[in-house]
Amino acid sequence: MNIVKMIKLISLWITLSILFIAKTNASQLTPMADKSIFEQGYPEPAARYDQALNITELNNVTTRMTGTSPNAIAEFAIHPDTLVNQLALDFSINYSPALLAELSHIKLYLNDYLMATLDLPKQTDTNALNSQQHWSIPLQADVLKDYNQIKYELVGYYTEQCQDDFNKNIWAEISRNSKLNLTYQALSVDSELALLPAPFFYDSLNKMLDLPIVFGQQPSTTTLESAAIVSSWFGQLADWRKSNIKTSINQLPSQHAVVIADNQSRPDFLQHYPLVEKPTVEIISNPKFRYKKILLILGKDEQQVKQAALSLAHASKLMVGRSVEISQPPLIEKRKAYDAPRWITSGETVQFSELISFPDQLQVKGMGSAARSLNLRFAPDLFIWRDQGVDLDLLYRYTPSKSITDTRLNLLINGQFMQGFMLEEYHQDQWNLGNLTIPFAEPTPGESTQSIEIPSFKLSANNVLTFDFSFAIAKSGACSAAPKDSNYGRIDENSSVSLAGYEHYIKMPDLHAFAQSGFPFTKYADLQQTLVLIGKNRSVNEYDLLFNTIAHMSASTGYPASYITIKNDLSDIKADDYDLLIIGQPKSLIKQGSKKSDILISQYKNELNRTLYPGQTEQKVNIELKSRGDLASILSFQSPYDSERTVVALYANSNAGYQLTTEIFQQQESLNKIKGAANVINQYGITHIQTDDNYYVGSLPIHQLIWYHLSDYPVILGLLSVLVLLVLSVIIWRLLKVLTAKRLAEGDE
């Protein structure tokens, strides 16, 4: 009897357990019927975080204040999807012991709202070192915006009589150890596509794009193409801020992220999410970290996923609501060569109004104002030779004054002084038009020249033109005060830059052009002639390198990589139609057994050997070693399939090595060091290597081509000139002889 009861109890327990599990699973699969709990926001409060930012981590920081430049500033951005609860400044100021405590003080502003007035106590111990004064000032968080400015204004007096603002006794300096302390928490953001690219990217933030991309499993080449298109779109938006795109496989991120998947390859946390029948772009809350959002790029299959990615890159401004379906495959017209939206192309005249980012970018106010800059981007293979240059029509205006003396406008290109203009005391119409030619370095092989009077620079994708207004005041007496904010200078937006009919011709390999602008791949802004070779089942670090490289290219062109091609091998593609970008070792990514694969592997090995053992040949050096350190390389050489095509290979011996290479594309200083035909990268720096195996890409008129390549050989050029003259003389002599015979024949008749 006891056994029967025991069996019944066990059966009942099993039945109840099954029912409980079934109910639990049903509750997980079935959407919540009553969502009123979310009407006032999420049921759980967002966690609070404390952050301390050193003043050196802020933007546009100036710390020194004087009588003529009394303001010190520091700027910072606040994520629009965060709420700052508390804000405080913890700082020290060192100031002149000559300042009068009764009159001198410092005003502290946040976004032009006065936060505090700081007295400057008299320093009594004149024998001791000048000590700093320390303050902890709470700031009003309710005046914060997306982008904010902290301003210190020195009101300094060294005498009770009339004083000279130019006197060197008036100074104060903010300590570099000062900190901005914040307490903040996340805000809930609507799942609304109309907000894109927010909350994944905010252009108001002066910081690098940080974006995770999630796959459900190892991605196919088509899925990688979709991710590259999405990466390029975000990279285009990030522009100069650079991109940090991180790849994860089947992992739920704790921040805003993008998921790219078809119905068969979803990550586990989306396994029960409704399947789609059409290309779909959707935004949802993170199922675990509910104050974060996930952008879904979905499709029934891989091709539909790619269609969704293209739709996001080209039609995000038309997307409204939580989800959109793409009813027809997008038709994107292919770009023409050199028509990247951010490049100034040959023969084009562009006004500054098309290049500036905000209205007062080229205006200065008052003495000591920072110089203003403008980015000029060109195709790196423009052939500019000898005394040719870019025409710049410059229009500027300024405040005229009798007190102005030795006041000028200085122009710099890439930090090098170019030319200066004196600003007249009286200039009735206040307009001054000047024509300026920007000189370029002559790309003669083996030759590097610079002009002493006007330094030249080598054309690249990213050139910075700087305008520096320097106001000097003529003092009329000991008590004269400088008008601090009464002087204005402005470069007019109707100024223009023009490239007059330059050809495209460049000596390759040139990894500097690749590092700066992604050339030669970016010759077509949509990367329609770019083939990426990457092995199957690679590490996430290699995917990171791929996506950040593509994002860097689109940041240069201003256009997404709509037609990029990604393959694991060359078995089914015509390689001579593409420039090749190789990521990884050739053995792991190129299918063996085909003739064209073997050719590429052989040349790759040869170039890698020359990089690792410069000055040696493969026959002289044959070393195999397993290094415990992290090593990477960037190589470039002529494609074995087409003499006008280029191969760029990114290789590393470890995941950390790929991370080192990825970081190169996130730091402009490191990009500037990439040059030549090969670069070896380790944690201590970059070493570049040049090669003699040069080739040229592009075209020139025949006479210019001959003259350019023979310019280093004056004797041959002289002999060729004599030969041309002899040929012309013979032709003219024969022509005259024919004409003479004809005239004599006519006379005989």
Side-chain angles (χ1 to χ4, degrees):
M1 188 68 179
N2 290 335
I3 295 177
V4 174
K5 287 184 177 181
M6 185 177 294
I7 293 173
K8 289 182 178 180
L9 287 173
I10 293 174
S11 299
L12 179 62
W13 180 81
I14 293 174
T15 302
L16 291 174
S17 299
I18 293 173
L19 290 173
F20 176 78
I21 294 172
K23 184 177 180 181
T24 301
N25 289 338
S27 65
Q28 292 177 347
L29 296 176
T30 305
M32 184 186 298
D34 182 12
K35 298 183 180 180
S36 60
I37 191 174
F38 294 102
E39 288 180 358
Q40 304 300 323
Y42 292 124
E44 72 276 13
R48 288 197 175 195
Y49 302 93
D50 295 322
Q51 185 177 21
L53 297 173
N54 189 278
I55 193 172
T56 57
E57 300 178 72
L58 306 184
N59 306 319
N60 302 322
V61 176
T62 58
T63 57
R64 187 169 179 81
M65 297 169 281
T66 65
T68 56
S69 299
N71 297 327
I73 64 171
E75 297 175 343
F76 64 98
I78 297 293
H79 263 277
D81 59 352
T82 59
L83 173 65
V84 176
N85 305 108
Q86 295 179 354
L87 181 70
L89 266 177
D90 190 7
F91 63 97
S92 299
I93 297 180
N94 201 342
Y95 54 93
S96 170
L99 293 179
L100 298 178
E102 297 81 4
L103 301 175
S104 301
H105 57 278
I106 290 179
K107 298 178 181 178
L108 176 63
Y109 294 88
L110 174 61
N111 294 335
D112 292 328
Y113 288 89
L114 182 64
M115 296 286 112
T117 301
L118 313 175
D119 294 329
L120 300 179
K122 181 65 177 179
Q123 299 178 24
T124 56
D125 189 356
T126 57
N127 295 321
L129 291 176
N130 188 20
S131 59
Q132 296 179 342
Q133 293 295 323
H134 182 83
W135 288 272
S136 290
I137 306 294
L139 304 179
Q140 295 177 237
D142 57 349
V143 303
L144 289 174
K145 302 181 293 186
D146 290 352
Y147 199 74
N148 307 276
Q149 183 188 75
I150 297 171
K151 183 175 71 174
Y152 302 84
E153 181 182 350
L154 171 64
V155 181
Y157 290 89
Y158 62 91
T159 176
E160 294 184 357
Q161 308 299 322
C162 63
Q163 71 173 7
D164 181 3
D165 287 338
F166 288 90
N167 193 293
K168 294 184 178 180
N169 282 317
I170 307 176
W171 65 267
E173 188 156 359
I174 311 298
S175 170
R176 289 281 175 172
N177 294 324
S178 301
K179 292 182 179 180
L180 177 65
N181 300 309
L182 304 96
T183 300
Y184 65 93
Q185 62 186 124
L187 288 173
S188 60
V189 181
D190 290 341
S191 296
E192 175 57 66
L193 292 171
L195 299 176
L196 287 175
F200 309 95
F201 169 77
Y202 293 99
D203 57 9
S204 62
L205 300 181
N206 187 14
K207 60 183 295 186
M208 185 184 300
L209 166 70
D210 189 9
L211 182 70
I213 290 183
V214 183
F215 301 108
Q217 58 190 32
Q218 279 288 346
S220 66
T221 55
T222 304
T223 304
L224 286 176
E225 289 174 356
S226 302
I229 293 170
V230 173
S231 299
S232 68
W233 181 63
F234 278 103
Q236 165 198 342
L237 296 171
D239 196 5
W240 50 269
R241 301 170 185 83
K242 307 297 183 185
S243 302
N244 180 30
I245 298 174
K246 290 287 188 181
T247 310
S248 62
I249 297 177
N250 200 27
Q251 292 183 352
L252 180 64
S254 60
Q255 63 188 98
H256 301 305
V258 177
V259 173
I260 300 176
D262 58 36
N263 287 345
Q264 290 74 41
S265 64
R266 293 187 173 189
D268 290 342
F269 58 86
L270 289 179
Q271 284 300 317
H272 301 300
Y273 201 75
L275 302 179
V276 298
E277 294 299 321
K278 294 182 179 180
T280 302
V281 178
E282 191 165 341
I283 185 170
I284 63 172
S285 295
N286 189 308
K288 183 177 180 181
F289 308 97
R290 291 197 286 190
Y291 283 87
K292 301 301 179 180
K293 296 296 179 182
I294 296 179
L295 181 63
L296 303 177
I297 311 298
L298 304 175
K300 183 172 64 174
D301 51 35
E302 295 173 345
Q303 291 301 324
Q304 284 197 1
V305 171
K306 188 172 181 180
Q307 292 171 17
L310 284 169
S311 300
L312 173 71
H314 291 277
S316 62
K317 294 182 179 179
L318 303 178
M319 295 181 176
V320 180
R322 189 178 72 88
S323 177
V324 295
E325 289 184 348
I326 291 82
S327 56
Q328 294 182 351
L331 299 176
I332 312 297
E333 184 179 358
K334 288 189 176 182
R335 306 286 300 196
K336 297 179 181 179
Y338 303 110
D339 71 344
R342 287 185 180 150
W343 288 7
I344 301 174
T345 58
S346 179
E348 182 182 9
T349 299
V350 177
Q351 291 188 338
F352 285 8
S353 58
E354 301 177 41
L355 303 174
I356 61 176
S357 303
F358 52 92
D360 292 332
Q361 180 175 338
L362 299 180
Q363 178 172 292
V364 299
K365 178 183 178 182
M367 299 182 60
S369 298
R372 297 295 186 259
S373 298
L374 187 71
N375 289 326
L376 302 178
R377 289 174 172 170
F378 308 98
D381 64 340
L382 280 180
F383 183 76
I384 299 180
W385 191 40
R386 296 192 179 278
D387 58 349
Q388 293 178 309
V390 171
D391 292 328
L392 180 66
D393 291 330
L394 186 63
L395 189 63
Y396 57 91
R397 56 187 184 271
Y398 54 91
T399 304
S401 173
K402 282 185 177 181
S403 64
I404 293 182
T405 180
D406 194 27
T407 302
R408 66 188 64 209
L409 168 63
N410 295 320
L411 269 67
L412 298 89
I413 189 73
N414 294 341
Q416 299 183 27
F417 174 74
M418 233 177 24
Q419 193 165 342
F421 299 98
M422 292 293 298
L423 303 184
E424 302 174 10
E425 292 185 6
Y426 280 105
H427 195 67
Q428 295 301 322
D429 61 3
Q430 301 178 27
W431 293 81
N432 201 335
L433 179 63
N435 293 318
L436 178 66
T437 297
I438 303 177
F440 288 86
E442 297 180 6
T444 305
E447 181 179 338
S448 178
T449 61
Q450 284 196 357
S451 170
I452 296 176
E453 296 183 355
I454 303 179
S456 61
F457 72 101
K458 187 174 182 180
L459 181 65
S460 67
N462 303 311
N463 304 296
V464 180
L465 184 61
T466 302
F467 305 94
D468 186 7
F469 282 93
S470 176
F471 297 106
I473 305 298
K475 293 173 57 179
S476 57
C479 295
S480 62
K484 301 180 182 63
D485 297 321
S486 61
N487 295 313
Y488 285 86
R490 186 180 183 92
I491 305 299
D492 193 82
E493 289 86 348
N494 292 317
S495 301
S496 62
V497 59
S498 175
L499 296 176
Y502 294 112
E503 304 292 338
H504 293 274
Y505 193 71
I506 186 174
K507 183 179 72 173
M508 300 290 281
D510 188 349
L511 282 174
H512 186 71
F514 168 73
Q516 295 296 318
S517 65
F519 188 83
F521 307 102
T522 49
K523 176 180 176 179
Y524 294 90
D526 55 8
L527 303 192
Q528 60 184 268
Q529 296 187 9
T530 295
L531 171 60
V532 179
L533 290 176
I534 186 169
K536 293 182 179 179
N537 301 324
R538 306 313 302 161
S539 69
V540 293
N541 300 89
E542 292 175 71
Y543 296 143
D544 292 348
L545 177 57
L546 167 62
F547 300 143
N548 283 286
T549 302
I550 301 303
H552 172 69
M553 294 181 186
S554 289
S556 173
T557 62
Y559 195 81
S562 307
Y563 284 98
I564 188 172
T565 303
I566 300 178
K567 297 291 182 182
N568 298 133
D569 57 66
L570 293 171
S571 59
D572 59 346
I573 199 161
K574 191 177 179 182
D576 53 358
D577 290 338
Y578 297 92
D579 293 298
L580 303 181
L581 177 63
I582 301 176
I583 296 180
Q585 301 183 41
K587 289 183 179 180
S588 65
L589 57 89
I590 301 176
K591 188 175 182 179
Q592 304 292 318
S594 66
K595 184 177 180 181
K596 59 183 180 182
S597 294
D598 293 340
I599 292 173
L600 184 58
I601 292 173
S602 176
Q603 189 160 347
Y604 186 109
K605 286 181 177 179
N606 185 46
E607 296 297 332
L608 182 61
N609 186 75
R610 296 165 102 195
T611 301
L612 299 179
Y613 310 106
Q616 305 289 341
T617 64
E618 191 172 0
Q619 289 72 29
K620 293 180 181 177
V621 177
N622 187 5
I623 301 176
E624 291 188 6
L625 52 85
K626 189 172 183 180
S627 175
R628 294 185 179 180
D630 302 315
L631 186 71
S633 66
I634 303 178
L635 316 175
S636 182
F637 52 91
Q638 188 175 26
S639 173
Y641 314 115
D642 190 306
S643 60
E644 289 266 328
R645 297 292 184 180
T646 298
V647 178
V648 175
L650 309 177
Y651 161 79
N653 66 349
S654 64
N655 288 332
Y658 284 109
Q659 180 61 32
L660 284 175
T661 312
T662 300
E663 291 172 358
I664 295 292
F665 293 96
Q666 299 169 347
Q667 304 166 1
Q668 189 60 45
E669 183 180 354
S670 297
L671 286 172
N672 293 337
K673 297 178 182 178
I674 300 295
K675 58 185 67 175
N679 291 262
V680 178
I681 305 165
N682 57 41
Q683 59 182 328
Y684 301 106
I686 301 171
T687 303
H688 69 271
I689 300 163
Q690 191 55 276
T691 179
D692 294 330
D693 295 338
N694 295 319
Y695 59 99
Y696 289 83
V697 174
S699 61
L700 289 175
I702 186 63
H703 67 282
Q704 197 173 19
L705 184 67
I706 295 174
W707 194 264
Y708 170 66
H709 283 285
L710 293 181
S711 60
D712 282 347
Y713 307 97
V715 175
I716 297 177
L717 191 59
L719 293 175
L720 183 61
S721 300
V722 171
L723 179 61
V724 171
L725 288 175
L726 288 175
V727 172
L728 289 175
S729 298
V730 170
I731 292 173
I732 294 172
W733 175 76
R734 292 184 64 88
L735 180 61
L736 292 175
K737 187 176 179 181
V738 170
L739 291 175
T740 301
K742 183 178 180 182
R743 291 182 62 186
L744 289 176
E746 291 175 352
D748 290 341
E749 293 178 0

